[in-house]
């Protein structure tokens, strides 16, 4: 019974731990494709086709090398009431990372085959939140007067995922083509969540009279470090008739080739009235790990006219049943050994995803000779909005159930043998319904099972803003 109670404290605290990495369309790839909101499955005649629709490679005639950099990305994630009423959490970060390096090599533009490659940053998350709450509460009935209460919470999430893509397109005729891209993924994530709640009975007279303070504590700590290598395939179909272009892509579910994690976790309760002091702590290393991307199907249509184009894209991502993202090793006991609790899974991390449909629209227009304006809009719905993706009581570290909306714009200008692009992307998200606090420090109770924290409620809300500056450069090799 005591074991179950201790674990129950953990589960109710971190079941909806925030990670802000529950989206498939946060990043787009290639400056021009990004400015168009990623609405390019129907085909752009540039290197981004390796990722979006490899079939379109067959219609690109020049060899190119592209360098696209997300120069600066500013993100602001705000969780109102995340630590209790008026105890807010905020993460403001500036990130610099390479968005995509790509190339298309073809010696003979008359050949039906085209090959291209992408190295891109598929996911990049950088969150750092800390908060402290100090107050006096009447908590302990065994103590006279109010106690000094201190609650502190910390959330850090650093995720980087790189994809290496090699694609080929084959022209079936002047109107149709097919393609296939092989993708190798590398995912690295460092995640930490902890909280501590303390009640201190006493005042300055305790010090002058050498009276020991009465300190009660309830604390939780979880840290994971994960590295994984995986792979998937993406098939594409492309058709064009006069100014109309149509595209279809199908991405296979991903597989994990290799995955390894380290998990550190600790629960501690001391000096709580009517409760025996408890601690459960440990670390497990080299744990079997996996991460799954779902089956996805994308459709796109665009119309190309003399001075520009307009395009529409939609993509469906299937659901993923709950699975063990990090699987604990029963042969690794906690330390010290006498604290090990046989039959209790203390380190397994679960994951799962709801189905999602996203949509995008893009418009491109020539402003003056060799200079074009690009405008795009896309949705980016979270796959973690529904709580039923993870069984109640199972531990998960990834859940940021907020839908995002992206607005992008940029310009590009063509020179003799190159294309230069610059633009911005603004992201907005808000959620104020059905979202639970991370921890509740403003309504603490000292009794079991909460012990110095309050029951989490759904008064929390989230606001998210991000601004990304994109610069792209493409060099066109001369045809021989």
């Amino acid at each position: 019974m005591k074991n179950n109670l201790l674990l129950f404290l953990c589960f109710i605290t971190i079941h909806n731990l925030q990670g802000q990495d529950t989206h498939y369309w946060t990043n787009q790839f290639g400056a021009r494709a990004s400015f168009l909101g990623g609405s390019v499955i129907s085909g752009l005649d540039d290197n981004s086709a390796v990722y979006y629709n490899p079939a379109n490679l067959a219609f690109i005639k020049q060899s190119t090398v592209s360098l696209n950099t997300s120069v600066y990305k500013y993100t602001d994630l705000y969780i109102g009431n995340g630590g209790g009423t008026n105890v807010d959490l905020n993460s403001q970060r500036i990130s610099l990372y390479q968005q995509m390096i790509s190339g298309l090599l073809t010696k003979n533009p008359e050949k039906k085959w085209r090959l291209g490659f992408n190295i891109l940053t598929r996911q990049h998350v950088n969150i750092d939140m800390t908060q402290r709450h100090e107050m006096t509460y009447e908590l302990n009935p065994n103590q006279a007067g109010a106690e000094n209460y201190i609650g502190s919470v910390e959330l850090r999430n650093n995720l980087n995922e790189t994809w290496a893509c090699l694609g080929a397109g084959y022209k079936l005729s002047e109107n149709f083509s097919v393609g296939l891209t092989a993708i190798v993924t590398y995912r690295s994530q460092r995640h930490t969540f902890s909280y501590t709640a303390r009640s201190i009975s006493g005042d300055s007279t305790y010090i002058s009279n050498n009276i020991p303070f009465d300190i009660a504590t309830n604390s939780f700590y979880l840290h994971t470090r994960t590295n994984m290598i995986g792979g998937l395939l993406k098939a594409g179909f492309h058709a064009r008739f006069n100014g109309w272009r149509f595209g279809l892509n199908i991405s296979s579910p991903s597989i994990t080739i290799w995955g390894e994690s380290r998990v550190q976790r600790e629960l501690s309760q001391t000096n709580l009235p009517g409760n025996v002091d408890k601690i459960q702590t440990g670390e497990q290393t080299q744990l079997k790990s996996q991460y799954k991307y779902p089956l996805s199907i994308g459709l796109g249509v665009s119309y190309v006219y003399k001075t520009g184009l307009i395009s529409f894209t939609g993509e469906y991502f299937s659901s993923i049943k709950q699975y063990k993202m990090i699987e604990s090793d029963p042969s690794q006991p906690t330390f010290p050994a006498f604290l090990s609790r046989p039959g209790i899974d203390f380190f397994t991390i679960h994951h799962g995803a709801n189905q999602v449909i996203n949509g995008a629209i893009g418009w491109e227009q020539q402003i003056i000779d060799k200079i074009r304006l690009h405008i795009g809009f896309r949705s980016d719905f979270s796959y973690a909005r529904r709580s039923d993706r993870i069984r109640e009581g199972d531990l998960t570290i990834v859940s940021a159930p907020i839908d995002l909306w992206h607005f992008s714009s940029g310009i590009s200008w063509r020179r003799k043998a190159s294309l230069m692009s610059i633009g911005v992307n603004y992201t907005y998200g808000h959620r104020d319904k059905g979202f639970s606090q991370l921890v509740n420090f403003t309504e603490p109770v000292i009794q079991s099972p909460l012990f110095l924290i309050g029951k989490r409620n759904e008064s929390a809300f989230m606001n998210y803003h991000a601004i990304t500056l994109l610069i792209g450069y493409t060099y066109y090799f001369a045809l021989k």
Side-chain angles (χ1 to χ4, degrees), residues 157-233:
N157 187 34
N158 299 104
L159 167 65
N160 286 284
E161 186 170 329
T162 301
W163 284 19
C165 313
L166 179 63
Y170 180 77
K171 185 185 291 186
L172 299 172
S173 68
E174 292 304 314
N175 301 106
F176 301 99
S177 63
V178 294
L180 183 68
T181 295
I183 302 172
V184 176
T185 70
Y186 172 69
R187 182 182 178 93
S188 176
Q189 185 171 18
R190 307 290 182 268
H191 190 286
T192 301
F193 176 73
S194 66
Y195 76 82
T196 301
R198 291 189 178 93
S199 171
I200 305 173
S201 300
D203 52 35
S204 59
T205 60
Y206 280 55
I207 299 176
S208 57
N209 295 315
N210 199 27
I211 301 174
F213 290 99
D214 187 14
I215 303 175
T217 303
N218 182 13
S219 65
F220 170 83
Y221 174 81
L222 174 69
H223 175 74
T224 63
R225 300 171 63 92
T226 302
N227 294 282
M228 305 179 195
I229 296 175
L232 66 147
L233 296 174

Side-chain angles (χ1 to χ4, degrees), residues 389-403:
R389 68 189 183 91
I390 301 295
R391 287 187 300 269
E392 185 68 31
D394 286 343
L395 187 63
T396 178
I397 65 169
V398 182
S399 178
I402 182 172
D403 295 331

Side-chain angles (χ1 to χ4, degrees), residues 27 49 75 80 90 134 158 205 232 237 290 342 367 394 419 439 477:
N27 289 344
T75 59
N90 189 221
E134 300 174 351
N158 299 104
T205 60
L232 66 147
F237 173 80
Q290 60 177 326
I367 304 174
D394 286 343
L419 181 71
V439 64
F477 293 95

Side-chain angles (χ1 to χ4, degrees), residues 149-152 195-199 215-220 268 270 272 439-441 444 450-453:
Y149 180 85
I150 303 171
S152 60
Y195 76 82
T196 301
R198 291 189 178 93
S199 171
I215 303 175
T217 303
N218 182 13
S219 65
F220 170 83
S268 176
T270 59
L272 293 163
V439 64
N440 187 352
F441 291 137
L450 295 173
F451 295 125
L452 296 180
I453 59 175

Side-chain angles (χ1 to χ4, degrees), residues 112-124:
K112 294 184 177 183
W113 284 100
R114 300 286 188 276
L115 295 175
F117 72 89
N118 290 163
I119 300 175
L120 53 88
T121 301
R122 183 66 176 86
Q123 297 278 4
H124 180 83

